[in-house]
Amino acid sequence: MSSPWKIACLAFLFLLALSMSSFGQGVLVNESASAVQLPRHRIWPPPHPPRPIPTPTPTASYAIKSLEVSANVEGQIAEVNVSQTFTNTGSRQMEVSFVFPLPYDGAVDSMTLLVDGKEYPAKLLDAKEARKTYEDIVRRNLDPALLEWMGTGMFKTSVFPVPAGASRTVQLKYTQLLRVDGGLTDFLFPLGTAKYTDKPIETVEIHLNITAPDEIKNVYSPTHEITVKRPGPKKAALTYTGKNTVPEGDFRLLYDSGTGEVSTRVLSYRPDGKDDGYFLLLTSPKIEQAEEKIVPKTVIFALDHSGSMSGNKIVQARDALKFVLNNLREGDSFNIVLYSSGVKTFKPEIQPFNEETRKEALDFADSIRATGSTNIDAALKSSLSLIQDSKTPGYVIFLTDGRPTVGEMNEMKLAEIAKTANEHGARLFSFGVGYDVDARLLNRFSNDNRGQSEFVKPNEDIEDRVARLYNRISSPVLTDVTFKFGSKDESTPSYGTNRVYPDGKFDLFAGEQLVIVGRYSKPGPVDVLVSGKVGEEDKEFHFEGVFADKGGVEKSGDQNLAFIPRLWALRRIGEILDQLDLKGQNEELVKELVEISMQYGILTPYTSFLADENANLTDRASNVRSSRELTRNLSETSGESGVRQRAANQLFLRADRVGDANMGEKRMEAEMAMAPARPAAMAPMERRAYSGGMGARSSGSGGIMADSSSTSEPIGGRESNVRQIGDRAFFQKREPTKDAEKAEYVWIDSTLTEEQQKPENVTRIKQFSDDYFKLVEDHGPEVTPFLSLGGSQLLNIAGRAYRIEP
């Protein structure tokens, strides 16, 4: 088939399809036995399976050893290659078929499938045929796992053998057309099917090479942390790598291309037509900026060299300072402030950056030694007074490993000193090293002065953390940036945007992908005005978008965009915790914290009781009391608990994707950061008892609880009793029974009201019965992802409560 004809055919099929995505990740279905669940690693099953599968066959199982995906995307056409190796971990031969679902109905071309190099026929089943096949698999295996894909088509191979202990490598190659939503091309790979494995996958690799007709601008993954390289303006190479991981969600990538200095795109999601909708705004400047378009900046590096910084810390701090000095640009200006008992500067005034001043400053850095106390008061005044120009953006990197011990030591007064001394609007970035810092004080500095806080754990490299921040802020393109949303229709002057994060003025840097989330009250076409400064010159950019209206032309019922309100919820929680921390107890904020955490299944150190199997979700008053009591631990401003609480809050405030908590090292970082706060005076045994009921992990965007006395497993292991699916949260709760030793557990839909949960208002349905599959047939994709949880469930379906019983 010639290339133009192929493109024409794909375009025609695309017009017929409702939506499109990439696919290829598949599942092995054991055809030689019945009543055999798909395998799961131990993190997947709920902590309390309601009852065993009848006639289980534990010897039939498999593990995915590796998964490699490579795709070349030109415009909207993706050519995808997949290689996946399965190993039979059971004790006998398995006769299996390879099933891979289409997350959306759509056009696919040039499909080939190889098993260990031998080509196998694969039949494409339409949605109706696929539904029958899924239903047969579910009935036969008594396992609802595959239900989440029911309602769309699938490919299914003929049966092939996998001997005990043997491996099979399945290779797929196909071409497809990607869909475009809100001006963004959408690449979706159903990585979530790889959770059906009885061991973690040794290696998961995704490589995506994009070529666009115009310069590639926004590149964003709401699900995974990706590495992006730019071989040229119209090319992008993206990589995701996971080691010893069990994927829990699909891989998603959104990108656009175009001309101009700044690109902005708007996506929106409105669950219903009554409440506010949610929007996500992506903005990115031109990737390769001409040197003359990079705004000159002033950088002050304020370094604590008190006695506590001795040893490896002062060595790393010197190296961090040298990194900044070696990466300044011609036209920048700088100075160095050293502080301990007193203050010493590199030069009395700001210095222009050139080769001569660079070498002199490097010599100065080599002379730094640790000695004395910690005079934060004088360091602030000296650092901020050096900046004498509001026209040039100023950045203060303020690094300390301790609390103030000389000069003013009152937290509130020091915060006021920083605001008063900052006459020219410098951005203050605080680095707290170790657990002896006053974490709340550093947060105050950054919050009040347009910066952010970073907390460096004792075993982390100071230079690496400083370098990561500096690389992000090294090339300002647009400063004092603001966003406004309006309409060309004078009758609709405002869209009622509210709770927008980040809010206020900020800077936009070359190569940065800025993610903004917020809410809106009015749907329809929207005009986005981006304002800022390039040096002293004012700049304005206009972009068009649409705020979706449920039931209108622009519908948002697609669960594909359900990540937007969840991302907003993470940021809103960060703001609530910040306000509780900096302004004290507030009953209304605590109530909102509980409500948002419950609605979206986001656990925090202050709402982790929601994961307690005995917690009553409908007892709002009791839950608020528990949360209020736990927020009192914010009084700990220093020490391991005090620092971790603020580090956890930073994760919420700066969240730019919903999948971070599930990804490799990010998960471990989150576990450590999200350790439940504990009163410092408690003895070790009391601390364990205090935190023992808080051990839970949310499998989606929520935080992860860990016992901070241990660096290994979270309390309670890695089993999850909180799940997020689409725009809903589910909590597994224990139900009382006549036999106290035989507890029953049920997944409860957080959208259910107390009235809906009353027995007389609940419709009971037997799992795997005809009524069960009738429910699937009637409601399709609106309900199948929820049913895939399995076990006893209490669901909200079209406003009615249904009890699914095994």
Side-chain angles (χ1 to χ4, degrees):
M1 182 183 290
S2 66
S3 180
W5 177 244
K6 178 191 298 184
I7 294 172
C9 290
L10 285 171
F12 173 73
L13 288 169
F14 180 73
L15 292 174
L16 296 178
L18 293 175
S19 59
M20 273 303 310
S21 84
S22 170
F23 73 92
Q25 165 65 34
V27 179
L28 288 186
V29 176
N30 187 4
E31 304 285 1
S32 57
S34 61
V36 180
Q37 282 195 319
L38 291 171
R40 315 288 202 288
H41 181 48
R42 65 189 179 91
I43 71 167
W44 177 255
H48 310 289
R51 58 190 63 182
I53 296 294
T55 61
T57 311
T59 56
S61 188
Y62 64 81
I64 303 173
K65 185 176 182 180
S66 64
L67 173 61
E68 297 178 10
V69 181
S70 63
N72 293 314
V73 180
E74 291 195 21
Q76 285 180 247
I77 298 176
E79 294 184 351
V80 186
N81 290 274
V82 184
S83 179
Q84 184 175 359
T85 300
F86 297 88
T87 300
N88 182 351
T89 55
S91 59
R92 64 189 186 195
Q93 178 168 295
M94 296 171 62
E95 300 293 331
V96 301
S97 60
F98 185 69
V99 170
F100 41 99
L102 278 67
Y104 307 97
D105 292 330
V108 176
D109 181 51
S110 302
M111 164 66 72
T112 59
L113 188 146
L114 303 174
V115 179
D116 283 353
K118 178 183 177 182
E119 187 166 349
Y120 272 72
K123 184 181 179 182
L124 173 61
L125 307 181
D126 63 22
K128 186 176 181 180
E129 290 179 294
R131 189 186 68 80
K132 293 179 180 179
T133 302
Y134 283 129
E135 184 174 330
D136 175 67
I137 295 172
V138 171
R139 285 183 186 274
R140 180 157 47 92
N141 294 283
L142 302 179
D143 185 349
L146 293 178
L147 280 178
E148 60 186 294
W149 288 283
M150 189 177 284
T152 60
M154 70 149 74
F155 275 84
K156 186 174 186 292
T157 69
S158 57
V159 177
F160 58 90
V162 183
S167 297
R168 291 288 183 266
T169 298
V170 178
Q171 294 172 290
L172 306 176
K173 182 178 181 180
Y174 58 91
T175 304
Q176 74 161 122
L177 190 67
L178 306 178
R179 75 175 185 176
V180 175
D181 192 349
L184 292 159
T185 302
D186 188 352
F187 180 94
L188 176 64
F189 187 84
L191 192 62
T193 54
K195 60 179 169 272
Y196 304 119
T197 175
D198 68 3
K199 295 179 180 179
I201 305 174
E202 293 178 13
T203 304
V204 178
E205 291 188 357
I206 298 177
H207 301 279
L208 195 61
N209 294 304
I210 303 172
T211 302
D214 296 308
E215 181 180 349
I216 296 173
K217 293 293 179 62
N218 292 292
V219 178
Y220 171 64
S221 172
T223 57
H224 291 71
E225 186 170 21
I226 56 175
T227 300
V228 182
K229 293 184 179 179
R230 306 275 189 160
K234 300 179 181 181
K235 294 181 179 294
L238 306 113
T239 303
Y240 164 72
T241 301
K243 298 289 186 182
N244 296 313
T245 184
V246 179
E248 296 173 0
D250 297 338
F251 176 86
R252 186 97 177 271
L253 184 86
L254 304 168
Y255 74 93
D256 71 342
S257 63
T259 58
E261 294 183 41
V262 177
S263 175
T264 295
R265 299 290 184 182
V266 177
L267 293 175
S268 58
Y269 180 85
R270 198 178 191 196
D272 57 53
K274 300 177 182 178
D275 298 326
D276 282 358
Y278 299 84
F279 71 86
L280 176 139
L281 186 147
L282 300 174
T283 189
S284 179
K286 187 180 178 70
I287 300 305
E288 293 185 356
Q289 293 285 342
E291 197 67 28
E292 64 271 13
K293 296 226 176 152
I294 300 296
V295 178
K297 62 184 180 296
T298 298
V299 177
I300 306 297
F301 198 113
L303 175 58
D304 177 357
H305 71 118
S306 59
S308 59
M309 285 287 292
S310 61
N312 193 43
K313 281 196 286 188
I314 198 66
V315 173
Q316 290 185 7
R318 284 199 303 258
D319 289 341
L321 170 58
K322 290 178 184 179
F323 177 89
V324 173
L325 292 171
N326 285 323
N327 285 276
L328 291 168
R329 297 172 177 270
E330 290 287 340
D332 290 342
S333 55
F334 75 101
N335 209 332
I336 304 167
V337 175
L338 295 182
Y339 66 98
S340 55
S341 302
V343 174
K344 177 182 179 181
T345 59
F346 166 56
K347 295 289 184 181
E349 299 175 344
I350 290 292
Q351 297 296 297
F353 177 76
N354 53 45
E355 187 59 22
E356 181 181 347
T357 56
R358 184 184 74 87
K359 289 181 178 178
E360 193 175 352
L362 289 173
D363 289 340
F364 180 81
D366 283 332
S367 69
I368 297 173
R369 298 292 182 271
T371 182
S373 303
T374 307
N375 194 335
I376 288 179
D377 176 7
L380 284 170
K381 292 174 181 175
S382 179
S383 300
L384 293 167
S385 66
L386 286 168
I387 298 176
Q388 295 293 319
D389 183 3
S390 301
K391 298 173 183 176
T392 301
Y395 301 93
V396 176
I397 299 173
F398 193 88
L399 189 149
T400 182
D401 77 331
R403 289 161 286 181
T405 55
V406 177
E408 180 60 63
M409 291 180 281
N410 180 272
E411 179 184 317
M412 298 297 291
K413 290 182 179 179
L414 282 170
E416 190 59 37
I417 286 171
K419 285 195 290 186
T420 303
N422 193 5
E423 296 179 2
H424 299 286
R427 294 74 165 161
L428 198 160
F429 295 87
S430 303
F431 278 85
V433 178
Y435 294 136
D436 292 330
V437 297
D438 186 331
R440 184 169 64 193
L441 175 62
L442 298 183
N443 272 354
R444 287 188 188 276
F445 289 162
S446 297
N447 287 6
D448 293 343
N449 297 279
R450 296 173 57 186
Q452 69 184 47
S453 302
E454 299 280 348
F455 296 99
V456 186
K457 296 196 289 287
N459 61 339
E460 283 189 301
D461 189 325
I462 300 171
E463 180 188 1
D464 177 67
R465 292 293 297 274
V466 172
R468 275 191 271 170
L469 171 80
Y470 183 78
N471 283 334
R472 186 176 74 80
I473 67 173
S474 64
S475 304
V477 175
L478 201 63
T479 61
D480 294 331
V481 179
T482 60
F483 284 83
K484 289 184 180 179
F485 300 89
S487 172
K488 296 177 182 178
D489 180 2
E490 294 182 0
S491 66
T492 311
S494 170
Y495 279 87
T497 55
N498 61 88
R499 299 279 166 81
V500 178
Y501 306 108
D503 198 8
K505 293 182 179 180
F506 49 86
D507 298 341
L508 195 57
F509 302 94
E512 181 179 30
Q513 176 63 72
L514 187 64
V515 180
I516 299 173
V517 290
R519 302 192 307 190
Y520 63 91
S521 58
K522 296 179 181 179
V526 63
D527 179 71
V528 184
L529 173 64
V530 183
S531 304
K533 290 180 177 292
V534 177
E536 298 181 44
E537 181 184 0
D538 292 327
K539 288 277 190 177
E540 287 189 352
F541 305 91
H542 286 269
F543 302 92
E544 294 182 351
V546 174
F547 284 163
D549 180 11
K550 179 74 171 180
V553 176
E554 294 291 335
K555 297 186 179 182
S556 61
D558 186 354
Q559 289 282 306
N560 238 0
L561 298 179
F563 72 88
I564 297 175
R566 288 172 57 197
L567 184 57
W568 174 88
L570 286 169
R571 300 243 183 123
R572 174 57 183 159
I573 283 175
E575 184 184 48
I576 290 173
L577 294 178
D578 229 25
Q579 291 180 11
L580 290 171
D581 188 18
L582 302 180
K583 297 180 181 179
Q585 285 288 326
N586 181 300
E587 188 74 8
E588 291 304 313
L589 286 178
V590 173
K591 287 181 180 178
E592 187 180 358
L593 173 64
V594 173
E595 290 298 324
I596 293 178
S597 295
M598 184 182 301
Q599 181 179 354
Y600 295 100
I602 299 172
L603 301 183
T604 75
Y606 319 103
T607 57
S608 56
F609 55 83
L610 294 173
D612 182 349
E613 64 188 34
N614 297 306
N616 183 355
L617 296 180
T618 62
D619 190 351
R620 298 294 201 270
S622 176
N623 291 336
V624 170
R625 282 195 301 272
S626 297
S627 187
R628 186 195 311 121
E629 195 61 34
L630 289 170
T631 58
R632 299 187 192 283
N633 291 299
L634 286 167
S635 61
E636 296 179 52
T637 61
S638 297
E640 186 176 359
S641 174
V643 170
R644 283 184 171 175
Q645 288 182 80
R646 276 76 192 181
N649 192 25
Q650 293 300 312
L651 291 177
F652 289 115
L653 284 169
R654 301 205 297 267
D656 60 4
R657 56 183 57 87
V658 295
D660 274 351
N662 295 328
M663 303 305 149
E665 292 183 6
K666 273 285 185 182
R667 168 181 285 180
M668 293 306 298
E669 289 179 12
E671 285 177 356
M672 295 301 293
M674 295 294 289
R678 299 162 307 180
M682 285 187 175
M685 186 63 71
E686 292 173 313
R687 290 177 185 171
R688 283 195 291 273
Y690 177 83
S691 59
M694 300 175 63
R697 179 181 61 82
S698 78
S699 64
S701 60
I704 301 169
M705 302 298 122
D707 183 353
S708 62
S709 64
S710 168
T711 58
S712 55
E713 295 285 328
I715 306 166
R718 290 190 178 274
E719 291 83 8
S720 171
N721 55 354
V722 180
R723 294 287 311 282
Q724 299 88 31
I725 301 176
D727 59 0
R728 299 196 195 183
F730 296 85
F731 298 86
Q732 192 178 56
K733 298 302 176 185
R734 177 173 178 150
E735 292 189 326
T737 61
K738 294 180 180 179
D739 186 345
E741 295 183 0
K742 295 181 179 180
E744 293 285 343
Y745 296 87
V746 59
W747 287 103
I748 299 178
D749 187 333
S750 67
T751 65
L752 285 167
T753 65
E754 187 172 3
E755 181 67 21
Q756 286 175 310
Q757 294 184 49
K758 290 181 178 179
E760 63 269 22
N761 296 327
V762 176
T763 301
R764 294 178 178 268
I765 292 180
K766 187 73 173 176
Q767 194 177 36
F768 309 127
S769 66
D770 290 341
D771 287 341
Y772 178 82
F773 287 104
K774 182 67 167 55
L775 196 68
V776 171
E777 184 177 0
D778 289 346
H779 297 278
E782 294 181 15
V783 67
T784 49
F786 309 142
L787 291 175
S788 66
L789 275 171
S792 296
Q793 297 173 268
L794 192 57
L795 302 178
N796 185 354
I797 302 175
R800 294 181 58 187
Y802 289 84
R803 174 70 182 244
I804 310 300
E805 298 179 324

